[in-house]
Amino acid sequence: MATESKLPAEFADLARFEDWILPTEPERYAKRLASTMPEMQEFYDAGMARLEDAIAYCDRFDLDDLPDDARNLFHLMQSLVMASFPVEVWKQPRVPDSGAAYLDIVREPVV
């Protein structure tokens, strides 16, 4: 039985990354820390290839009135940003030399 994608039909190729559709920064950060570098690399490669298309798709709507599938795509791209530094720079999920330090965002945009 096929399940319905949470993403717009134009982005069906990204459906395998739907577990990265996370609405808050703490959820995205936790997902990053729980992911392996090969998992993040796969997500990064697929997502970066579609980033401009995703931005153009989301730009068709008012930010305060995104349809659910566009909102999910927006959150997926936010997760892509969360995975970008580990993939591009650090080559590990955690910030290097940060020890047990952790920063909580106390307020973030609601989308």
Side-chain angles (χ1 to χ4, degrees):
M1 183 168 124
T3 58
E4 190 173 317
S5 177
K6 296 178 184 178
L7 297 171
E10 299 93 313
F11 296 92
D13 57 309
L14 298 177
R16 68 184 190 262
F17 302 108
E18 287 184 352
D19 59 328
W20 283 91
I21 297 173
L22 301 165
T24 67
E25 188 276 341
E27 290 172 296
R28 292 186 289 270
Y29 187 70
K31 173 70 173 161
R32 182 179 96 187
L33 294 180
S35 298
T36 66
M37 286 309 299
E39 290 168 338
M40 275 194 282
Q41 185 71 58
E42 182 182 5
F43 173 46
Y44 175 86
D45 292 342
M48 289 302 287
R50 300 302 311 277
L51 180 60
E52 288 185 29
D53 295 334
I55 291 169
Y57 184 88
C58 290
D59 278 348
R60 298 182 346 195
F61 306 100
D62 186 309
L63 188 59
D64 294 325
D65 195 30
L66 287 170
D68 289 342
D69 60 350
R71 181 180 321 286
N72 289 336
L73 180 61
F74 184 83
H75 290 315
L76 186 66
M77 293 301 108
Q78 288 177 305
S79 290
L80 180 63
V81 170
M82 182 64 69
S84 67
F85 263 78
V87 170
E88 293 176 1
V89 181
W90 305 321
K91 310 301 182 209
Q92 65 183 27
R94 291 194 162 277
V95 177
D97 303 319
S98 62
Y102 188 85
L103 177 65
D104 278 325
I105 291 182
V106 294
R107 186 167 180 168
E108 63 182 285
V110 177
V111 178

